[in-house]
Amino acid sequence: MLNLERLRTLDALARHGSVSGAADGLHVTTSAVSQQMAKLEREVGQQLLARNGRGVRLTDAGRLLADHAAQILSQVELAQADIEAQRGQAVGEVRIGAFPTAARGLLPTTISALRGAHPELRVRAHELEPEEAVRQVVRGDLDLAVVLDWNNQRLPVPGGLARAQLLDDAADVAVPADHPLAQRAEVDLEDFADDEWVSWPEGEFCYEWLVFTLRSKGIEPRIAHMAGEHHTQLALIGAGLGVCVTPRLGRGPVPEGVRLVPVRQKMLRHIYAIWRVDADRRPSIRAAVSALRSAATPT
């Protein structure tokens, strides 16, 4: 009889490509992963891993069993969803990921509402960028994620995922209080052709969006500083070190020395929840989506 947890370990190795990646995904130690794989090899009587430089790779037998493991785990997920659906209650655990401003602007209210309405449901929250959140939902490391598109650039989302729209979030341009445009009622992005920008870190989805958007306006971006946190970006603006795009969701108090100016052609983030289609029947997923929608609805 094949052990389900060992199959889960093999599946994590196949998806992450390394022992350390599988350990991180399963929230266990690398030693635990190695021990589970050694036991699984004894159970099946074949070598499943082979040395590959400093790492490991799956053997042909390992890849064959990993394919079956993925199908078995998917069926287990469907079975759990059906059992939970038959019971008709949101119970167990739901793991939710969200990008930073959604984690700050939506998750506290969402988790509080779920705790009050479904006391047998445990919620685990994770803050991470949209692209990583999509990968973790696909892998099964997250049950649900809050991600975003910009109105002029879509986030790549693979098949097999369901989605629910939560809200559209407008963004403004933050400028130092003594900036020539600080008192304008509205601005165009072209007005900042000569300014230096404070941006998200290079390689992130929102960084790529900012560069794409500025270039589409004929502006070659002069990015002077990068910061992942919006509060850090605004602190840099307050020190007179450039301008930045700042969304409204989860913004919080604006520092002294910073002015927010609306953009005439609105910059909108489309914020939505995603989850695996095979978990669609789980009451916990439906409850979490409903709570997110309520948290996203203006009062």
Side-chain angles (χ1 to χ4, degrees), residues 173-179 196-199 225 230-246 254-260:
V173 175
V175 302
D178 60 358
H179 192 281
E196 291 187 330
W197 287 84
V198 176
S199 167
H225 308 284
H230 284 214
H231 289 309
T232 306
Q233 294 180 10
L234 291 176
L236 292 168
I237 304 308
L241 300 176
V243 301
C244 75
V245 170
T246 179
V254 177
E256 287 290 329
V258 176
R259 298 291 180 270
L260 303 177

Side-chain angles (χ1 to χ4, degrees), residues 2 38-48 61:
L2 292 172
K39 291 177 181 178
L40 185 58
E41 286 183 328
R42 288 197 294 272
E43 285 179 354
V44 300
Q46 292 198 61
Q47 184 179 0
L48 303 176

Side-chain angles (χ1 to χ4, degrees), residues 97 99 130-131 133-134 145-149 155 157 270-274:
F99 58 92
E131 290 173 309
V134 170
V146 181
V147 298
L148 67 92
D149 289 326
L155 177 72
V157 175
H270 306 304
I271 298 171
Y272 53 97
I274 60 170

Side-chain angles (χ1 to χ4, degrees), residues 86-285:
Q86 188 178 52
R87 182 174 177 180
Q89 297 178 351
V91 297
E93 180 178 88
V94 62
R95 300 158 296 174
I96 304 176
F99 58 92
T101 52
R104 186 164 57 248
L106 296 178
L107 289 193
T109 301
T110 298
I111 295 170
S112 179
L114 287 171
R115 179 177 293 178
H118 307 283
E120 293 186 57
L121 179 65
R122 298 184 305 276
V123 182
R124 290 175 55 191
H126 304 263
E127 182 181 284
L128 66 172
E129 293 300 320
E131 290 173 309
E132 177 59 24
V134 170
R135 286 192 288 269
Q136 291 202 22
V137 171
V138 170
R139 292 198 305 254
D141 298 333
L142 288 176
D143 298 303
L144 184 76
V146 181
V147 298
L148 67 92
D149 289 326
W150 288 90
N151 59 327
N152 61 339
Q153 189 165 14
R154 302 301 300 271
L155 177 72
V157 175
L161 298 182
R163 68 168 68 193
Q165 181 71 21
L166 299 178
L167 76 153
D168 287 340
D169 181 40
D172 305 305
V173 175
V175 302
D178 60 358
H179 192 281
L181 303 177
Q183 303 306 320
R184 286 274 194 92
E186 285 186 323
V187 292
D188 293 309
L189 286 180
E190 291 89 338
D191 297 331
F192 300 98
D194 297 326
D195 283 276
E196 291 187 330
W197 287 84
V198 176
S199 167
W200 296 269
E202 189 171 0
E204 289 189 6
F205 177 66
C206 288
Y207 169 90
E208 302 297 338
W209 166 82
L210 179 64
V211 171
F212 170 80
T213 300
L214 292 177
R215 285 176 176 166
S216 72
K217 301 290 185 181
I219 303 169
E220 185 56 36
R222 296 163 52 207
I223 296 175
H225 308 284
M226 296 182 186
E229 261 293 332
H230 284 214
H231 289 309
T232 306
Q233 294 180 10
L234 291 176
L236 292 168
I237 304 308
L241 300 176
V243 301
C244 75
V245 170
T246 179
R248 297 175 186 176
L249 176 66
R251 179 187 287 164
V254 177
E256 287 290 329
V258 176
R259 298 291 180 270
L260 303 177
V261 189
V263 178
R264 187 170 288 107
Q265 294 183 328
K266 288 189 180 297
M267 300 179 293
L268 291 176
R269 301 190 303 175
H270 306 304
I271 298 171
Y272 53 97
I274 60 170
W275 63 94
R276 294 183 306 284
V277 171
D278 58 13
D280 200 46
R281 288 169 285 185
R282 289 177 57 189
S284 58
I285 295 293

